[in-house]
Amino acid sequence: MIKIILPDDSVREYESGVLLGEIAKDISEGLARVVLGAVVNDNIMGLQEPIREDSHVRFVKFEDDEGKQIFWHTSAHIMALAVQRLYKDVKFGIGPAIANGFYYDFDLEHRFTDEDLPKIEEEMKKIIKEGHKVERYEMPRDEAVKFFEEKGENYKVDLIEHLPEDEIISFYKLGEFIDLCKGPHLYDIKKIKAVKLLSVAGAYWRGDEKNNMLQRIYAISFEKQKQLTEYLEFIEEAKKRDHRKLGKELDLFSFQEEGPGFPFFHPNGMIVKNELMNFWREVHKKEGYGEIQTPIILSESLWHKSGHWDHYKENMYFTKIDDQDYAVKPMNCPGSILVYKSGMHSYRDFPLKLAEMGLVHRHELSGALHGLFRVRAFTQDDAHIYMLKEQIKEEVSKVIDLCDYIYSVFGFKYNVELSTRPENSMGSDEDWDIAINSLKEALDSKDFEYTINEGDGAFYGPKIDFHLEDAIGRTWQCGTIQLDFQMPERFELTYIDSDGEKKRPVMVHRAILGSIERFLGILIEHYAGKFPAWLAPVQARILPISDKFNDYAYEINEKLKELGIRSEVDDRAEKVGFKIREAQIQKVPYSLIVGEKEVEGKTVSVRKRDEGDKGSISVDEFAKNLLDEIKSKK
């Protein structure tokens, strides 16, 4: 007999080999009807899988992340079966669940187009109605290789040959489709009530451009048609907010063939970028940070010493200067360390806070590049804090508070994640234990919940990550606080303690915006291009209703510019309605209409973006109100 421990700590006993579905039915017929699978001792499993040892079991539904993984992974197999029925010569790659839906990679002479997707969808719906049960079985490695070689499935053979020797080779059968697969899967595919194939893309096998290019179909599925309808509406809203589209329309930035992955910022984009950096500098100055700047290119030997050579060199760029090997920095921390080492330090100097808006370069595969979200050159809002061990909790708490303040200015809610020691890490168990516990203590002192992400820390220390939620509910990982005992050791950093002895400081790496470029992309989508006045490239546009009033418009413009307001005049020979629409399209916060009445009264007629006509007020009053809005960063 084995013991099954449920989330409420109740214990049930079953014979070894009991299926998860049988356990669910034993608990409740109602539960068995709605659950999709379970988390068993931290592993996600399907209802058709057996349990053979004492286990902690938590059943999951579609609203759980693990439930979605099971649901979408099964949907990928249904799509594969549909493609197999429609295109007989297809070979199969992989078909996993992803953050929003699933995909499957196909090797097929026929080139998929958007017109093919509805046909595949219809076939998937037929398969679901057929009501197949997804069956799991295992096979010895040699038999598995032979099975797929006879079917000509060379990608599956490649997968098996790369599995560890002791790996269990499991298969899932859905109708006539048999797939090499670890699982988990739904037992009853009729739970899938709505499916939508979204797009076709190319994908190299194993992500290597030396391998064959496969065709990848992205899709999504749900338990209810209403969920699919809501998701498609969300996708349409996200498309409207796409920062690449808005970046072009608002003339903020561009990408050129001569520099793939390297953004070109236009004057409008530089205004927003500089305002972000000015705000960052203002806040950090108040918090006692000293700003530094370190070189972009440094000796390759530095990156060996820091550990980046062993852990990160495939993402770095290299060059030679005077026959010596150099590297373009992918991170700012070694440069900050050299600044620290340039002088002697006492315990009285701590905490020592060095901040840097540092330009870094990282090699990204061309297929991974995505607007400002994934680039090859970006500006990190970095800071490194050198401190005593007894200062860790207080200083990390201050950084958390600083993150909270900065995110609140932009209207972001957020959730927090603590990532612990990864397998590929440096340092002693003792240092890692101290580091992880210190971050936990700082988080526990705050009034919010956080999740623990086991094994996802940096190679030199654990970290706290901030995931921001934007206006339409998407999350973005931005801020990070990383506690590091390893760099001070590797670089032999010292300070003179109160007893006159040399000792090692502790180091915190932290970024709040993460990358200025990526954060700007997030802001564009968060605001749908409608920047608050303090960030907007043009804060007020003056619209004379005819050229008779151009002189007055330029008089207002000069006055606003003298006060530091970014304003401009639209003096084109167009109707004022056209000019108003243009200002709306350009997302300008305020349009100031001027005609005969305004000239006589020395006023402006104010239209506020998304709110319409706000009436006539004096130029001085408008300027005062706008300056207050800019200062408060509303």
Side-chain angles (χ1 to χ4, degrees):
M1 300 295 286
I2 60 170
K3 291 181 180 178
I4 299 299
I5 305 158
L6 299 171
D8 62 359
D9 291 329
S10 62
V11 179
R12 292 172 181 248
E13 292 194 351
Y14 299 93
E15 289 187 10
S16 178
V18 63
L19 301 182
L20 276 165
E22 293 171 357
I23 298 173
K25 273 186 186 176
D26 184 50
I27 295 169
S28 155
E29 287 285 347
L31 178 71
R33 280 195 298 272
V34 297
V35 297
L36 307 180
V39 178
V40 181
N41 297 334
D42 297 326
N43 295 311
I44 309 173
M45 297 177 69
L47 296 175
Q48 65 273 61
E49 296 186 59
I51 307 295
R52 296 191 171 90
E53 60 185 14
D54 292 351
S55 301
H56 288 266
V57 173
R58 172 171 61 89
F59 287 100
V60 295
K61 302 176 184 178
F62 185 80
E63 52 262 37
D64 300 303
D65 289 341
E66 300 91 347
K68 287 185 176 71
Q69 285 184 50
I70 297 168
F71 197 90
W72 287 336
H73 193 179
T74 306
S75 300
H77 281 229
I78 295 170
M79 180 165 70
L81 174 55
V83 170
Q84 180 177 279
R85 287 182 175 181
L86 294 170
Y87 306 94
K88 302 301 181 187
D89 59 339
V90 66
K91 290 181 174 23
F92 298 96
I94 58 171
I98 54 176
N100 287 299
F102 58 94
Y103 68 77
Y104 214 111
D105 289 341
F106 304 101
D107 188 349
L108 182 66
E109 192 170 321
H110 172 80
R111 307 314 294 170
F112 289 126
T113 66
D114 289 344
E115 286 71 39
D116 293 316
L117 301 187
K119 289 189 293 184
I120 300 170
E121 263 179 44
E122 283 306 309
E123 192 63 37
M124 288 178 71
K125 289 172 185 175
K126 286 182 194 172
I127 292 165
I128 291 166
K129 283 181 182 175
E130 290 167 10
H132 303 279
K133 300 296 184 205
V134 184
E135 302 169 34
R136 181 185 184 277
Y137 61 94
E138 296 172 8
M139 195 183 290
R141 178 183 291 263
D142 292 345
E143 285 183 35
V145 169
K146 185 181 177 185
F147 174 79
F148 280 119
E149 282 179 340
E150 289 174 352
K151 291 168 72 72
E153 293 286 357
N154 51 302
Y155 301 107
K156 300 298 180 182
V157 172
D158 184 38
L159 288 171
I160 295 170
E161 289 175 344
H162 282 83
L163 290 174
E165 286 296 327
D166 60 349
E167 185 83 7
I168 294 170
I169 312 294
S170 60
F171 292 76
Y172 281 85
K173 183 176 185 295
L174 172 66
E176 64 270 35
F177 178 66
I178 300 171
D179 203 1
L180 170 76
C181 184
K182 191 175 182 179
H185 286 288
L186 295 174
Y187 183 55
D188 178 10
I189 66 172
K190 284 190 174 179
K191 288 183 181 291
I192 300 169
K193 302 294 186 187
V195 62
K196 179 70 177 176
L197 274 55
L198 301 170
S199 62
V200 180
Y204 291 109
W205 174 241
R206 291 191 176 278
D208 187 341
E209 54 195 18
K210 294 174 186 172
N211 291 335
N212 288 349
M213 171 74 82
L214 307 183
Q215 297 184 78
R216 176 172 294 178
I217 299 180
Y218 287 97
I220 198 157
S221 58
F222 292 96
E223 289 185 305
K224 298 174 184 175
Q225 181 63 40
K226 181 186 175 192
Q227 292 169 311
L228 176 59
T229 302
E230 289 171 350
Y231 178 77
L232 295 176
E233 288 171 354
F234 166 82
I235 290 294
E236 283 306 308
E237 180 61 30
K239 282 181 184 175
K240 292 177 195 171
R241 293 169 178 263
D242 189 318
H243 75 284
R244 295 165 298 179
K245 171 177 167 285
L246 289 170
K248 185 175 183 179
E249 290 173 2
L250 302 178
D251 197 23
L252 301 173
F253 61 87
S254 63
F255 288 90
Q256 309 294 336
E257 288 182 12
E258 292 80 358
F262 299 95
F264 289 71
F265 280 92
H266 300 194
N268 281 348
M270 281 306 299
I271 289 171
V272 184
K273 188 177 179 184
N274 283 331
E275 286 295 338
L276 282 175
M277 294 195 292
N278 290 342
F279 169 58
W280 181 89
R281 288 190 166 101
E282 173 191 316
V283 169
H284 282 73
K285 187 176 179 182
K286 287 179 184 174
E287 290 293 315
Y289 288 80
E291 187 173 359
I292 62 172
Q293 187 176 75
T294 63
I296 292 173
I297 298 175
L298 292 164
S299 170
E300 186 185 289
S301 62
L302 181 72
W303 306 99
H304 285 273
K305 195 168 188 178
S306 69
H308 289 93
W309 180 267
D310 297 322
H311 297 267
Y312 207 74
K313 68 175 178 287
E314 66 277 4
N315 294 100
M316 295 173 65
Y317 296 113
F318 300 94
T319 188
K320 277 188 178 289
I321 303 174
D322 299 332
D323 293 326
Q324 299 296 312
D325 293 321
Y326 284 78
V328 181
K329 69 175 178 181
M331 297 175 185
N332 298 304
C333 34
S336 174
I337 288 169
L338 294 182
V339 172
Y340 179 92
K341 283 177 69 77
S342 66
M344 295 287 291
H345 298 283
S346 156
Y347 71 96
R348 294 188 183 91
D349 298 333
F350 295 145
L352 177 63
K353 304 177 182 182
L354 301 180
E356 178 176 16
M357 277 286 182
L359 180 62
V360 298
H361 290 72
R362 298 180 185 177
H363 178 62
E364 300 283 359
L365 295 174
S366 58
L369 299 175
H370 180 75
L372 296 179
F373 291 160
R374 187 65 73 89
V375 291
R376 288 171 170 160
F378 57 92
T379 309
Q380 270 193 321
D381 69 314
D382 243 331
H384 299 91
I385 307 173
Y386 303 87
M387 65 186 77
L388 309 174
K389 283 186 180 179
E390 55 265 32
Q391 294 174 323
I392 293 173
K393 178 183 174 184
E394 182 182 356
E395 291 308 314
V396 170
S397 293
K398 286 180 181 176
V399 177
I400 293 170
D401 290 340
L402 185 58
C403 290
D404 180 74
Y405 167 67
I406 288 176
Y407 298 149
S408 71
V409 167
F410 299 101
F412 285 117
K413 294 184 285 186
Y414 60 85
N415 56 68
V416 179
E417 186 176 80
L418 171 61
S419 297
T420 58
R421 185 177 190 173
E423 288 183 18
N424 184 19
S425 62
M426 304 189 306
S428 68
D429 292 345
E430 181 185 359
D431 280 349
W432 273 89
D433 288 343
I434 293 170
I436 291 169
N437 288 331
S438 296
L439 294 186
K440 279 184 177 176
E441 286 177 11
L443 285 169
D444 289 340
S445 70
K446 301 299 172 187
D447 188 25
F448 56 69
E449 294 181 0
Y450 62 92
T451 56
I452 294 181
N453 188 3
E454 295 288 354
D456 201 40
F459 66 85
Y460 48 76
K463 60 176 182 168
I464 296 169
D465 288 328
F466 292 80
H467 298 264
L468 309 189
E469 183 181 322
D470 72 11
I472 58 172
R474 298 170 300 181
T475 56
W476 310 88
Q477 195 276 309
C478 288
T480 187
I481 306 170
Q482 302 173 355
L483 188 53
D484 184 2
F485 287 81
Q486 311 311 320
M487 292 288 178
E489 192 69 39
R490 291 176 80 95
F491 282 92
E492 300 178 342
L493 302 189
T494 61
Y495 69 92
I496 306 300
D497 205 356
S498 56
D499 59 6
E501 296 293 320
K502 281 189 176 181
K503 294 182 182 174
R504 292 264 185 269
V506 178
M507 184 177 178
V508 162
H509 310 246
R510 49 114 294 200
I512 297 177
L513 306 181
S515 147
I516 295 297
E517 287 75 8
R518 182 169 176 271
F519 194 76
L520 176 53
I522 293 168
L523 283 184
I524 292 169
E525 300 205 1
H526 178 54
Y527 294 131
K530 298 173 183 177
F531 292 111
W534 72 278
L535 281 174
V538 177
Q539 295 163 328
R541 184 176 288 176
I542 306 153
L543 313 177
I545 63 174
S546 77
D547 56 9
K548 292 192 298 189
F549 310 108
N550 285 355
D551 288 345
Y552 180 57
Y554 279 104
E555 183 185 318
I556 296 168
N557 191 44
E558 286 305 310
K559 186 168 190 175
L560 296 180
K561 284 182 176 295
E562 284 173 9
L563 293 168
I565 292 169
R566 296 188 290 274
S567 62
E568 63 184 21
V569 177
D570 183 351
D571 62 0
R572 293 174 297 171
E574 299 284 356
K575 291 181 178 179
V576 73
F578 175 84
K579 294 181 182 181
I580 290 169
R581 284 192 298 276
E582 285 281 292
Q584 288 292 106
I585 290 168
Q586 291 297 306
K587 326 287 188 192
V588 178
Y590 290 96
S591 296
L592 308 180
I593 296 115
V594 295
E596 189 169 345
K597 185 176 68 172
E598 286 75 26
V599 171
E600 289 174 358
K602 294 297 180 185
T603 61
V604 287
S605 181
V606 180
R607 286 186 64 88
K608 189 171 183 180
R609 183 183 59 202
D610 294 337
E611 293 184 20
D613 187 12
K614 305 299 284 185
S616 292
I617 57 173
S618 71
V619 177
D620 288 342
E621 187 178 354
F622 169 76
K624 179 184 179 301
N625 292 344
L626 179 51
L627 288 170
D628 287 345
E629 184 179 334
I630 292 166
K631 185 178 179 181
S632 67
K633 295 183 170 57
K634 281 197 271 189

